[in-house]
Amino acid sequence: MGDHGGSAAATAGAAAPERCGRVTALLDATGTFFRPAREAFPDARAAHWAHAARIDPGAVGPGGTWRLDFRCFAIARPGGRWVLVDAGVGPADGPAARWAPVPGRLPEALARARIAPADVDTVVLTHLHEDHAGWSVDATGEPLFPAARYVVQRAEVAALDPADPVRRWAVDPLRAAGQLHEVEGRHRLGDGLTLLPTPGHTPGHQSVLVAAAGGRGRDVVVTGDVWVHAVQLADPAVAYAHEVDPAAARASRVDLLARAVGRGALLATAHLTRAFVEPTADGTGGEVERPSDQFQEAAEGEHEPAEGDEGGEVPVELR
């Protein structure tokens, strides 16, 4: 989100074939940002804040504080395999500890959703900020997902400062393990899964398009940090104070929003307090209420979600 200075394994057999394509929200952490929302988005106007409060009322904390979630997403593939998008804030001693609410609970969230780390064959890192790469490795420095390739844009790795703690924490160990996979530009991951370059928040930021086959289910765009707050859905021109290239970030928001609206796709958001957001044709977004028959709770009937957990799945039959 910004460069700011385990439980028991689940069983692989639980991933039934009919779950193929489902996009599952995994809440890693919740917290309050270290600066007020109006400081983080200094160009936003009163009308933008009012609209944002309607889209994501959970983000409005007392005294103008910004409440946010730290969320990853899992996409079911054939054969009980999974793609994980982003790796959360990480353990208590990870680099995100400087400002984010650690330790994250991604390992527990995966177990509740019946996803074993060994069954994750791809981890997409939308970018290399510490709150998106923290669980790339465990507390011992070993890759948390032993069979996965970790996919990141080459431009993102190239732009990472040699002194950035994420390099030592995640990039170097993943490269040493032979699991770091650098790509350039738009990249097809497999049936129905495409990486879309969305630079601006960072130089090599990427998002993930999950495309449904023949109208069966909804397309989903997993956005990473293209939007970090609903005020940027109220007006995509609203810049975030920690974007490295505000003009490019604005262009990515405009382009991705138009793409989502044109496809009738949902936005899967990392930091809003609602996992899935419905974009609207006028360039704004609206909250998706608790799931209708189009949605199901993750691992339905298997567990009660943790307090504050914003779980849920969107069914998508992959093209």
Side-chain angles (χ1 to χ4, degrees):
M1 176 167 180
D3 188 4
H4 312 300
S7 61
T11 59
E18 62 268 19
R19 294 185 74 191
C20 178
R22 288 190 180 277
V23 181
T24 300
L26 302 167
L27 185 65
D28 186 43
T30 59
T32 300
F33 201 56
F34 62 87
R35 63 191 300 188
R38 290 177 187 264
E39 291 183 10
F41 305 92
D43 299 332
R45 300 190 300 273
H48 298 143
W49 291 114
H51 194 165
R54 294 193 295 272
I55 296 170
D56 188 20
V60 182
T65 54
W66 172 13
R67 297 172 53 198
L68 70 164
D69 287 345
F70 297 80
R71 190 179 292 105
C72 310
F73 291 88
I75 305 162
R77 303 182 84 170
R81 311 301 289 177
W82 293 86
V83 173
L84 181 69
V85 183
D86 281 331
V89 300
D93 59 348
R98 295 179 297 170
W99 66 277
V102 297
R105 52 185 184 266
L106 179 62
E108 290 82 2
L110 287 164
R112 288 198 306 271
R114 297 174 295 158
I115 301 170
D119 291 333
V120 175
D121 64 17
T122 305
V123 178
V124 175
L125 297 174
T126 61
H127 61 299
L128 292 175
H129 280 163
E130 54 267 53
D131 58 318
H132 290 256
W135 284 114
S136 294
V137 300
D138 62 22
T140 71
E142 294 298 317
L144 185 63
F145 304 97
R149 58 175 184 157
Y150 289 71
V151 183
V152 64
Q153 289 286 324
R154 191 177 306 278
E156 185 74 0
V157 179
L160 192 66
D161 191 299
D164 193 303
V166 172
R167 182 176 293 277
R168 175 192 57 82
W169 178 264
V171 173
D172 290 347
L174 292 175
R175 181 175 281 133
Q179 292 179 239
L180 189 69
H181 185 72
E182 298 178 49
V183 299
E184 294 185 3
R186 186 182 176 107
H187 180 79
R188 184 178 180 273
L189 280 180
D191 289 347
L193 299 175
T194 304
L195 302 182
L196 303 174
T198 46
H201 182 75
T202 61
H205 190 284
Q206 61 184 346
S207 302
V208 182
L209 172 63
V210 186
R216 294 186 287 274
R218 293 285 299 274
D219 288 3
V220 176
V221 179
V222 187
T223 66
D225 276 3
V226 174
W227 289 274
V228 296
H229 192 286
V231 75
Q232 296 176 298
L233 280 166
D235 185 347
V238 172
Y240 172 49
H242 298 284
E243 293 165 346
V244 298
D245 187 337
R250 180 172 60 252
S252 289
R253 283 191 294 276
V254 170
D255 176 74
L256 201 61
L257 190 62
R259 187 187 300 268
V261 170
R263 301 180 69 98
L266 290 170
L267 304 177
T269 69
H271 294 301
L272 275 64
T273 66
R274 291 294 181 265
F276 299 102
V277 177
E278 183 83 61
T280 58
D282 63 358
T284 62
E287 175 189 336
V288 174
E289 297 294 344
R290 290 305 300 167
S292 64
D293 57 1
Q294 186 179 37
F295 296 80
Q296 294 182 14
E297 284 296 316
E300 184 173 0
E302 293 293 318
H303 69 278
E304 290 296 323
E307 182 178 355
D309 193 3
E310 180 57 34
E313 292 183 335
V314 177
V316 182
E317 185 172 331
L318 297 179
R319 297 182 185 215

